Amino acid sequence: MQRWQKRKTHFPLLALVFFVFIAFSILYSESNIRGIHQDQPPRDSNGDQPRSTVQDGLFNNSRPAQVLKVSNKPPVGIDKFTTCSSTVRYSGRRAVSAVHRAESGDVRAGSAVEGCDLFSGKWVFDNASYPLYNESRCPYMSDQLACQKHGRPDIEYQFWRWQPHNCNMKRWNAMEMWEKLRGKRLMFVGDSLNRGQWISMLCLLQSAIPADKQSITPNSELTIFRAENYNATVEFLWAPLLVESNSDDAVDHRMSERILRPDSILRHSSQWEHADILVFNSFLWWRQGPVKLLWSDEENGVCEEIGGLGGMELAMESWADWVASNIDPLKKKVFFVTMSPTHQLKEEWEPGSEGNCYDEKQPIHDERYWGSASDLSTMRMVEKVMSRLGSKVSVLNITQLSDYRKDGHPTIYRKFWESFSSEKLANPASYSDCTHWCLPGVPDVWNELLFQFL
Ligand SMILES: *[C@@H]1O[C@H](CO)[C@@H](O)[C@H](O)[C@H]1NC(C)=O
Ligand SMILES: *[C@@H]1O[C@H](CO)[C@@H](O)[C@H](O)[C@H]1NC(C)=O
Ligand SMILES: *[C@@H]1O[C@H](CO)[C@@H](O)[C@H](O)[C@H]1NC(C)=O
Ligand SMILES: *[C@@H]1O[C@H](CO)[C@@H](O)[C@H](O)[C@H]1NC(C)=O
Ligand SMILES: *[C@@H]1O[C@H](CO)[C@@H](O)[C@H](O)[C@H]1NC(C)=O
């Protein structure tokens, strides 16, 4: 950290390096997750059908947890070359932890404004106050999210304000945010959706400080934006499954199967443990069918296969154990961002029609709308894990408010690194990205919500 604090690097050069880094990482990574959430079948799991043999459900608690046998050898880390020697069914085992005592409070959300649920509301057209920044003037913009630059003809998606039902949100104020961040490390930890929120935060914040007082250090896993005059950082850590996995390489994680250590969070927690404000997410990477568990004490490389939701619950429990034993809510703030919705099936908001989010220009105004991609079992599981953590975590419950925003995705107006056949090109919906979000856009509002809680 000391090294680049001293180094006075010229800002445009850093921005350029950063672009190249982001471009590079996306080149290798995004086509993977994109493909999964579009109409192509997942290229996964050695021919396993997604969600086939393994029950993709919550645990069967009637089965007794197995006792951990203690291994003498320290476990070897998992990386992209890790394979399973064989795969058996999930045994019902859970990570054994000293901190399974339940604190069990209410899920904390909306505590910023007494008696008001900030996550329940509607989108209001407001082209006077929005967007909060200009796409082309943000030097940290990603080519994956810069929709105007890539030819999106409409711009109304940038003009929507989130209006909670029973109160108003405090207006976004970059200087006030910097004051809150003074002397602190704010770190986003998760997947490409969380990275989008981090880029949004950089765009929201950067114009308020001089260009020569900001710098960014690209690194494959942890990227750090530094604001010299506030002695503050805004960082992003790639950890799509939260626990250690074969997808932890931020650049190259196109794996044919997901292998993870459900009982090992140290690889990532050692990077995030000194942050003052932590914003986590995890969801889409669990939606590709079964995953393989490689427990730390497994010496013969035998994996256990479990459905994505079950795997996510195991990972969330390890994460929650870390939070329970390491977070003092008076000193640190931890947020968990709920699942980011996708819009693959137009028939869900317009019965009888075909297609997806392509060419959608308006939000959904039916307040009861809930898309099928926003998996309810996952939401219940997340609630359960959060309630055990009580006041140590606040939930940024962005699922439903983002679900209304079928107009907010890049669709075909982003950089794609693969080339498409003329057949595909003739049918734009077939390669539309209905997963990520254009910036300026929906993730700016997630950050405005975060701002309310700091
Ligand atoms: C849980 O497991 C027990 C014993 O294997 C079985 O009898 C029961 O039906 C299972 N329950 C569910 C909900 O799967
Ligand atoms: C905002 O939208 C209204 C209605 O569409 C339009 O008349 C007005 O010119 C717009 N203002 C700005 C600043 O774009
Ligand atoms: C953003 O900035 C560019 C370049 O300065 C300018 O041409 C464009 O009109 C701006 N866009 C908006 C929406 O203000
Ligand atoms: C800058 O912030 C770090 C924590 O991120 C702190 O350890 C350090 O003392 C601060 N330095 C100054 C000069 O305030
Ligand atoms: C998030 O909000 C939805 C309603 O929009 C609710 O059903 C769900 O329980 C909330 N999730 C959490 C974790 O609080």
Side-chain angles (χ1 to χ4, degrees):
M1 301 249 300
Q2 292 306 342
R3 278 231 331 271
W4 20 268
Q5 210 168 348
K6 284 184 197 144
R7 206 195 295 151
K8 289 259 193 298
T9 315
H10 196 236
F11 170 71
L13 176 66
L14 274 169
L16 180 71
V17 170
F18 180 66
F19 273 140
V20 171
F21 162 71
I22 286 288
F24 210 67
S25 67
I26 288 164
L27 167 63
Y28 285 98
S29 66
E30 297 316 326
S31 46
N32 191 7
I33 203 125
R34 262 196 57 250
I36 286 148
H37 301 288
Q38 297 184 27
D39 51 349
Q40 305 112 318
R43 19 176 291 114
D44 243 351
S45 304
N46 294 334
D48 286 338
Q49 292 304 308
R51 2 179 109 249
S52 55
T53 49
V54 180
Q55 183 201 344
D56 196 15
L58 296 171
F59 294 116
N60 184 337
N61 285 319
S62 61
R63 202 169 357 200
Q66 286 191 351
V67 178
L68 251 189
K69 75 174 147 66
V70 179
S71 165
N72 301 327
K73 282 193 258 170
V76 181
I78 294 188
D79 63 21
K80 58 190 172 189
F81 305 110
T82 301
T83 53
C84 302
S85 62
S86 62
T87 300
V88 299
R89 273 188 63 120
Y90 173 56
S91 64
R93 176 176 168 176
R94 310 172 84 120
V96 173
S97 154
V99 282
H100 260 301
R101 69 199 138 76
E103 188 177 314
S104 198
D106 287 334
V107 177
R108 205 165 86 144
S111 57
V113 184
E114 287 303 322
C116 174
D117 179 0
L118 293 178
F119 306 106
S120 162
K122 61 181 181 192
W123 290 96
V124 176
F125 188 80
D126 179 356
N127 61 354
S129 345
Y130 287 78
L132 297 171
Y133 54 89
N134 180 324
E135 176 193 297
S136 65
R137 291 196 189 151
C138 175
Y140 308 104
M141 185 57 65
S142 155
D143 262 348
Q144 184 186 27
L145 311 173
C147 299
Q148 293 295 312
K149 177 180 171 189
H150 290 93
R152 184 160 174 170
D154 56 314
I155 198 168
E156 286 69 29
Y157 68 90
Q158 295 191 356
F159 296 151
W160 296 91
R161 174 167 57 80
W162 177 247
Q163 177 62 56
H165 282 314
N166 299 313
C167 52
N168 292 322
M169 296 209 296
K170 187 167 59 168
R171 263 187 81 94
W172 169 258
N173 181 325
M175 295 311 286
E176 191 181 337
M177 184 67 175
W178 276 124
E179 285 304 331
K180 291 173 194 288
L181 296 180
R182 188 183 284 281
K184 296 205 165 99
R185 291 178 69 183
L186 163 61
M187 194 186 289
F188 291 83
V189 181
D191 59 23
S192 62
L193 275 310
N194 198 272
R195 184 173 58 207
Q197 187 178 350
W198 168 71
I199 292 173
S200 150
M201 185 59 96
L202 298 187
C203 293
L204 284 165
L205 284 170
Q206 61 86 24
S207 62
I209 54 174
D212 65 349
K213 296 278 190 261
Q214 45 184 290
S215 58
I216 192 152
T217 314
N219 175 307
S220 66
E221 257 186 75
L222 179 65
T223 305
I224 302 175
F225 174 89
R226 176 173 293 276
E228 217 180 281
N229 43 358
Y230 286 92
N231 186 29
T233 61
V234 182
E235 314 178 26
F236 174 69
L237 178 68
W238 174 256
L241 300 175
L242 298 178
V243 294
E244 184 173 335
S245 79
N246 67 343
S247 305
D248 288 341
D249 187 316
V251 176
D252 177 9
H253 43 245
R254 287 185 81 134
M255 302 301 139
S256 61
E257 58 189 9
R258 304 258 171 259
I259 304 176
L260 55 125
R261 270 210 206 297
D263 53 347
S264 173
I265 202 148
L266 188 67
R267 174 188 286 167
H268 300 312
S269 65
S270 63
Q271 306 225 52
W272 76 51
E273 66 185 347
H274 298 300
D276 301 284
I277 304 162
L278 281 156
V279 182
F280 292 94
N281 92 326
S282 192
F283 173 54
L284 282 178
W285 283 62
W286 301 103
R287 300 289 292 163
Q288 306 155 31
V291 298
K292 300 193 172 180
L293 312 174
L294 189 51
W295 295 91
S296 302
D297 61 353
E298 171 54 50
E299 288 168 10
N300 302 316
V302 179
C303 295
E304 295 179 356
E305 191 173 66
I306 186 173
L309 176 55
M312 179 173 172
E313 184 170 8
L314 284 176
M316 290 290 291
E317 285 185 342
S318 289
W319 169 83
D321 288 344
W322 184 89
V323 172
S325 48
N326 289 280
I327 293 299
D328 172 355
L330 298 178
K331 297 201 179 111
K332 295 193 178 207
K333 290 202 159 81
V334 177
F335 296 88
F336 189 83
V337 183
T338 60
M339 51 200 164
S340 173
T342 59
H343 292 91
Q344 303 295 354
L345 295 171
K346 184 166 176 158
E347 62 185 24
E348 291 188 2
W349 58 86
E350 208 176 298
S353 58
E354 285 179 8
N356 53 26
C357 73
Y358 176 69
D359 214 21
E360 291 294 328
K361 298 190 173 76
Q362 284 287 316
I364 292 166
H365 293 293
D366 174 3
E367 285 178 27
R368 290 157 309 172
Y369 182 78
W370 186 279
S372 66
S374 302
D375 182 53
L376 280 168
S377 315
T378 303
M379 190 60 108
R380 295 289 96 82
M381 181 274 285
V382 167
E383 272 162 30
K384 196 173 99 188
V385 173
M386 296 302 147
S387 68
R388 152 153 100 83
L389 294 171
S391 63
K392 289 176 191 251
V393 176
S394 300
V395 176
L396 287 185
N397 195 342
I398 55 96
T399 303
Q400 189 156 26
L401 67 93
S402 309
D403 228 342
Y404 301 144
R405 293 301 306 276
K406 61 181 168 64
D407 60 321
H409 300 286
T411 68
I412 63 171
Y413 306 110
R414 51 163 278 191
K415 186 167 173 63
F416 291 99
W417 282 271
E418 65 268 53
S419 47
F420 299 114
S421 62
S422 46
E423 250 167 90
K424 259 195 176 256
L425 290 172
N427 176 13
S430 71
Y431 67 101
S432 283
D433 177 352
C434 296
T435 297
H436 299 98
W437 302 95
C438 297
L439 291 182
V442 174
D444 301 332
V445 169
W446 304 349
N447 281 322
E448 284 192 277
L449 287 160
L450 176 64
F451 177 61
Q452 313 297 309
F453 293 104
L454 292 175

